[in-house]
Amino acid sequence: MSVQTYTYDGPEELHALVGQVMASLGYVGGREVTCVGAAVVVRAAGGHLALRCTFRDGGAPWVSEAVLLGTKRQREAVKDCLIHWYDRFSGRGPSPWGTLIGVRPTKLVHHLFDQGLDDRSAAKTLEGTYHVAPETARRLVAMARLQRPYVTDRGRKLALYVGIPYCASHCLYCSFPSRLIGREGEGGFKAFRDAVLADLDDLKDLCRTYDLDVTSLYVGGGTPTCLPQAILQPILERLAGNFPHVREWTVEAGRPDTAKPEMLAMLRACGVDRISVNPQTMQQRLLDALGRRHSVADIYTMYENCRKLGFSVVNMDFIAGLPGQTLADMQENMEIVCKLHPENVTIHTLALKKRAPLFHHVLRAAVPPAEETGRMVRLCRTVLTAKGYLPYYMYRQKYMAASFANTGYALPGSISAYNIEMMEERQSVLAAGPGGATKFLARDGHTLEKVYMPKDVDAYIEALPEKMAQRRRLCAIIYGGEI
């Protein structure tokens, strides 16, 4: 997978748009003066835009330009030009995603449904307006139709996310700014715990004051189960006490080296019913290279313990496109999935991010080409759907090989409501903990009013009173009718 830099010279109001488009094509913006793979220049004059893009791959520069007349749909025209030009330059042909570049492609389908379009008309709109390939359009429409009961008539029902930004070690592919537990002292853990407890109590008071109903709860990270049990347990017990009516409660316990039997038993005793067992891959050589610090045998042991404890839904994550990974490796992963039969399986595609150690690591050269990763993704889809799994949510990331999507699969009756609710952004989502983003759905039913918590633990603790006050003001405006 190739990630190159690009430069931009043009109006500031188009900078973010161009950045999003170029990111979808595998380019990062930066100040590097070498290895620049593309240069985008925009000039505005008299209501027109002159657009020019130069692509380079070591040979002669490939240049194209256009004059975009008028002001209507200029942003769409800029996006379409850049994408179509890249398709011609790269020789890859049109992407199955057409000109869709957002991370939430099914959101568009829901908007089409809102307008009264049926499945066939929505698919035709995706194909005609956004140049989406017919098969991709069909999958998007089918997925959105499956999601529909989870995103309509939500009223004052909300989801709640709790961020635990700690990990036992830093995986090679991960760009998340987690804090390593080995570097945290007892005082730091207690300060973090007390801040999260205060955060959760404030959210409880908001829900009581404005008659809000938390129906799904997700504790993620990082790796929440890497925390000492004496720190994590009070947080989970407070969640259980503050939000007793949740119908789905997930905890990410993706690292088997952090999910000992006593930890899993505590999660179950608190009421957690959905758990993530995330091996990412089942080949020991790849786990070792990625810095996972656990064995394949540990994954089996953790899975068996989860079954014994009675978690109703087990999710397993896998990544396609890891350094040194082959199609045979993914075939083995899927064979293991078919044998274990977890209720949920999520297939991610490696996204090479600048803050991940892999970005500057020697193993970056071992990342499979996009064509091989594509074969892995298609293999997973074929095997999982043949075994009765339904693709029920997806999202895309920047710098993802060939603009693939991460896709969640579920056996019938085991769909994760939270994953749909969080991704489709058609209801309010509360968040506690560092890095959490509370998103209030405004009165117009579309706009999101957001409150972001700092990602750094110390900064979160310091900013918490101010952030809680900001969150409370927004809640009073949206749900209390204040102005």
Coordinates of all heavy atoms in Angstrom, one line a residue, residues 64 89 96 121 193 242 319 325 444 462 470:
S64 N -3.6 17.4 -15.4 CA -4.9 17.7 -16.0 C -5.4 18.9 -15.4 O -5.1 19.3 -14.2 CB -5.9 16.5 -15.8 OG -7.0 16.7 -16.6
F89 N -4.9 8.5 -14.2 CA -3.5 8.5 -13.9 C -3.0 7.2 -13.5 O -2.0 6.6 -14.0 CB -3.1 9.6 -12.9 CG -1.8 9.3 -12.2 CD1 -0.6 9.5 -12.8 CD2 -1.8 8.9 -10.8 CE1 0.6 9.3 -12.1 CE2 -0.7 8.7 -10.2 CZ 0.6 8.9 -10.8
P96 N -15.1 1.1 -7.1 CA -16.4 0.7 -6.9 C -17.2 1.7 -6.1 O -18.5 1.6 -6.1 CB -16.3 -0.7 -6.2 CG -14.9 -0.7 -5.7 CD -14.1 0.1 -6.6
S121 N -34.7 2.6 -6.4 CA -34.5 4.0 -6.8 C -33.2 4.5 -6.0 O -32.4 5.3 -6.6 CB -35.7 4.9 -6.4 OG -36.8 4.5 -7.2
R193 N -9.6 7.2 37.4 CA -10.9 6.6 37.9 C -11.9 7.6 38.5 O -13.1 7.6 38.1 CB -10.6 5.5 38.9 CG -11.8 4.8 39.5 CD -11.4 4.1 40.8 NE -11.0 5.1 41.8 CZ -10.3 4.8 42.9 NH1 -10.0 3.5 43.2 NH2 -10.0 5.7 43.8
N242 N -25.8 3.6 37.4 CA -26.4 4.8 36.8 C -27.3 4.6 35.6 O -28.2 5.4 35.3 CB -25.2 5.7 36.3 CG -24.5 6.4 37.5 OD1 -24.8 6.1 38.7 ND2 -23.5 7.2 37.2
I319 N -7.9 -8.1 10.7 CA -7.4 -7.1 9.8 C -6.9 -7.7 8.6 O -6.1 -8.7 8.6 CB -6.3 -6.3 10.5 CG1 -6.8 -5.6 11.8 CG2 -5.7 -5.2 9.5 CD1 -5.7 -4.8 12.5
Q325 N 1.2 -10.6 5.6 CA 0.0 -11.5 5.6 C -0.3 -12.0 4.1 O -0.1 -11.2 3.2 CB -1.2 -10.7 6.1 CG -2.5 -11.5 6.3 CD -3.6 -10.6 6.9 OE1 -3.8 -9.5 6.4 NE2 -4.3 -11.1 7.9
D444 N -33.1 20.3 14.4 CA -33.4 20.1 12.9 C -33.3 18.6 12.5 O -33.7 18.3 11.4 CB -32.5 20.9 12.1 CG -31.0 20.6 12.2 OD1 -30.7 19.5 12.8 OD2 -30.2 21.3 11.7
E462 N -8.1 17.8 33.9 CA -8.0 19.2 34.1 C -9.2 19.9 33.5 O -9.8 20.8 34.0 CB -6.7 19.8 33.6 CG -6.6 21.3 33.8 CD -5.3 21.8 33.3 OE1 -4.4 21.0 32.8 OE2 -5.1 23.1 33.3
Q470 N -20.1 22.6 29.5 CA -20.4 22.8 28.1 C -21.5 21.8 27.6 O -22.4 22.1 26.9 CB -19.1 22.7 27.2 CG -19.3 23.0 25.8 CD -18.0 22.8 25.0 OE1 -17.0 22.6 25.6 NE2 -18.1 22.8 23.7

